Amino acid sequence: MVAVTALLGGAPGAATATPLAAPPVPVLSWGPCDGADAGDPGDGFECATARVPLDYRRPTGRTIPLAVTRRLAADRPHRTGVLVLHPGGPGNSGVDFARDSYEALPASLREAFDVVGYDMRGVGRSGQVECWNDKEYSAAVDAARGVPAPGALRTAVRQGLDFAHACTERSADLVPFIGTGSNAKDLDLLRQALGEETLSFYGRSFGSYVGTVYAAQFPRRVRAMVLDGAYDPRRYADVPYAYDAGQFVALDAAVGRFLDWCAQNAEACGFGEGRPRQAFEELKRSLDADPVITASGRPATGYTLAYRLMFNINSGQEVWPYLGEALRAAQAHQGSFLLSPPSPASFDFLNVNMAVECADRVYPAGRALLGAAVSAHVAAAPLLGPPIGLGPPTYDHNHAPTCSQWPAERPSRYEGSYRAAGSAPILVLGTTGDPDTPYQDAVALAGTLDGGRLLTFAGEGHTAYNRSACVSALATAYLATLALPARGTVCADETPPEPLSHRTTGIGVDETRDVIPTLH
């Protein structure tokens, strides 16, 4: 029916439908941010609240508040406009992302742009979604194992259904309306509230999907857009089992490359004594049988190890020696950032991560298909696939057991074309060894967008901006001057594995906090 409708040019009656009224433009009253004195400029940021429609089908109806922050361009006489920074997730705070990333931006951008961030609907200061509470989440992740027992798939499906019902019971008024179609409309209302004709935008990971949907809905409002660690939008939204399969393979391949480096660099890695893959499997089983009791009193199992490695592998080669050190500490049942159970702050992030993606994506119904797909994903990714794919509802890779049983409406899901016809050129950044958003997704997005231009980072890790001096220079020049890099440009300047004496900021990556890294 969808295909036929598309071929016929729209649903019957669409041509005579009454146009919706335009939603009111929010009024932004800027003032000190939380914790700042009225007389103290603090970090230079100011904050406001934007009220936007809950349901864009009723644009003048009930509203919800969005937390917004900005720091004005340092060089006011030569100001270019607004640069919106959108974090990954979904679930990370855009307010925190803008404030925490500001100093990592090149001076040319800080001087020319008002830097703006906002907590999207359902996140943090903009109305936190709750599905499972802290007690329920703690019980589920503490019981999970690095080597799941027989029957784990049935448990995952049952937990997915329980999580889905909890979302619609505890956040019933919000959950149908947290999809990216509505988030992108919020962004355009913010543009109007800021008094801008067009926006410049940097979005990383999930933020790249927000940028894609924004450009698709409002192509003439894009001045410049950088989409880093990009999604293949059509597969993500409409063919989710296939999209998930790619994520499982990319994650396992990245962990495998790290373990292969350990095998070839036993002294620098310090884990596995030349047999790191076998040692990793043994470590998961050992922690399952004899969990480390952490300072919080909660157990760290093989599942905890897999969960933390899933995020920390995103930092690329420079942290590989630190991952080896952390794995060795875990073997000795000593303190390790890889043995840190998800916290209440993590649960806030994960609630949103799951709920937004279930609002955005339509999985085919049916438990037989669900079981077959998840089993195939797990089999294709033997290192982390079993604990992540058969574990409780958490991050991207295991959304299928929840989203395939999602009971809520999806009126905020975006269902249109992703071409962004008429938009200014859009720069897509793809990292060849990205564990989270496979490089092929960036290739697909650049080819989907009418004005897409791909810039490749030949390296490990998730996203590219400020992890590569080459990528950073080219992307910054584009944002500042609209000059695109030449077609086919590849940057290959990843920071190599750092000696343990060179502590970096990429250690102990926390899924609840996104930040643009400082360029080395």
Side-chain angles (χ1 to χ4, degrees):
M1 289 180 65
V2 172
V4 170
T5 299
L7 288 170
L8 293 176
T16 59
T18 303
L20 294 175
V25 176
V27 176
L28 301 176
S29 298
W30 296 102
C33 298
D34 291 345
D37 264 342
D40 179 6
D43 61 4
F45 277 87
E46 52 189 349
C47 290
T49 299
R51 298 207 68 91
V52 298
L54 171 67
D55 182 354
Y56 276 95
R57 297 172 301 181
R58 298 172 178 81
T60 58
R62 179 182 168 189
T63 63
I64 54 174
L66 300 184
V68 188
T69 194
R70 74 174 177 185
R71 182 158 172 175
L72 298 177
D75 186 359
R76 302 301 295 167
H78 301 99
R79 175 184 177 276
T80 300
V82 163
L83 173 61
V84 175
L85 304 181
H86 202 297
N92 290 116
S93 164
V95 169
D96 293 346
F97 182 59
R99 295 175 67 172
D100 293 343
S101 299
Y102 182 79
E103 295 299 332
L105 293 175
S108 60
L109 299 184
R110 289 184 273 124
E111 291 170 359
F113 291 96
D114 297 348
V115 175
V116 173
Y118 70 102
D119 283 4
M120 70 180 204
R121 50 178 62 207
V123 174
R125 303 168 184 86
S126 298
Q128 176 68 40
V129 167
E130 183 183 13
C131 299
W132 272 358
N133 60 34
D134 293 348
K135 182 179 179 180
E136 291 164 333
Y137 240 136
S138 294
V141 298
D142 291 354
R145 293 294 178 262
V147 182
L153 177 58
R154 290 193 300 275
T155 300
V157 173
R158 175 181 52 76
Q159 288 178 326
L161 182 60
D162 182 73
F163 187 94
H165 284 311
C167 291
T168 54
E169 289 170 4
R170 293 171 178 166
S171 299
D173 291 345
L174 186 56
V175 159
F177 307 111
I178 58 175
T180 301
S182 290
N183 184 21
K185 290 183 173 68
D186 294 344
L187 179 56
D188 200 61
L189 282 181
L190 286 178
R191 173 194 63 78
Q192 296 173 62
L194 292 164
E196 299 294 317
E197 287 296 315
T198 59
L199 288 178
S200 297
F201 181 95
Y202 169 81
R204 37 190 282 130
S205 196
F206 175 75
S208 75
Y209 183 64
V210 175
T212 299
V213 174
Y214 180 81
Q217 292 189 93
F218 305 101
R220 304 291 180 183
R221 300 303 182 184
V222 175
R223 174 193 168 271
M225 182 171 282
V226 174
L227 305 179
D228 189 1
Y231 287 27
D232 176 345
R234 182 60 65 195
R235 278 163 54 93
Y236 166 77
D238 296 339
V239 198
Y241 279 128
Y243 185 87
D244 292 351
Q247 278 200 298
F248 271 97
V249 169
L251 173 62
D252 234 54
V255 174
R257 289 190 294 273
F258 157 63
L259 293 175
D260 290 345
W261 173 83
C262 284
Q264 297 160 11
N265 300 271
E267 184 175 351
C269 174
F271 172 73
E273 298 179 343
R275 300 177 299 115
R277 286 179 181 256
Q278 181 178 338
F280 182 70
E281 294 300 330
E282 291 171 352
L283 179 56
K284 285 189 293 183
R285 291 188 176 88
S286 171
L287 290 168
D288 285 348
D290 184 17
V292 173
I293 304 304
T294 61
S296 66
R298 292 175 54 201
T301 66
Y303 174 83
T304 313
L305 182 79
Y307 176 88
R308 285 296 167 205
L309 188 55
M310 173 173 60
F311 291 102
N312 279 273
I313 198 69
N314 284 341
S315 292
Q317 287 188 41
E318 65 178 301
V319 305
W320 282 1
Y322 296 92
L323 293 179
E325 181 185 48
L327 287 170
R328 188 171 66 252
Q331 279 181 316
H333 280 215
Q334 297 172 350
S336 166
F337 59 80
L338 294 179
L339 296 182
S340 177
S343 65
S346 300
F347 302 148
D348 287 344
F349 169 85
L350 295 171
N351 272 306
V352 180
N353 188 269
M354 184 70 69
V356 169
E357 296 213 356
C358 288
D360 276 345
R361 312 172 75 192
V362 178
Y363 283 80
R367 290 201 177 187
L369 177 58
L370 169 63
V374 171
S375 297
H377 297 162
V378 166
L383 292 168
L384 294 193
I388 301 304
L390 300 175
T394 53
Y395 189 59
D396 292 6
H397 308 72
N398 76 336
H399 285 180
T402 299
C403 296
S404 65
Q405 304 181 87
W406 195 243
E409 289 183 279
R410 293 183 173 92
S412 54
R413 162 181 152 88
Y414 178 71
E415 296 183 330
S417 165
Y418 293 100
R419 289 177 50 201
S423 168
I426 295 173
L427 183 60
V428 179
L429 310 184
T431 303
T432 55
D434 196 313
D436 202 349
T437 52
Y439 174 68
Q440 292 77 8
D441 282 22
V443 175
L445 176 59
T448 298
L449 295 164
D450 274 11
R453 176 69 58 88
L454 177 66
L455 173 59
T456 296
F457 176 35
E460 299 290 336
H462 184 39
T463 71
Y465 189 75
N466 268 20
R467 295 187 53 245
S468 156
C470 168
V471 168
S472 185
L474 292 170
T476 297
Y478 161 67
L479 287 169
T481 70
L482 306 182
L484 287 164
R487 293 185 185 279
T489 299
V490 177
C491 293
D493 58 341
E494 183 182 6
T495 301
E498 292 198 340
L500 288 174
S501 58
H502 296 178
R503 175 64 64 176
T504 78
T505 57
I507 306 305
V509 171
D510 183 350
E511 72 278 18
T512 69
R513 181 175 178 267
D514 200 5
V515 63
I516 295 174
T518 300
L519 186 62
H520 287 280

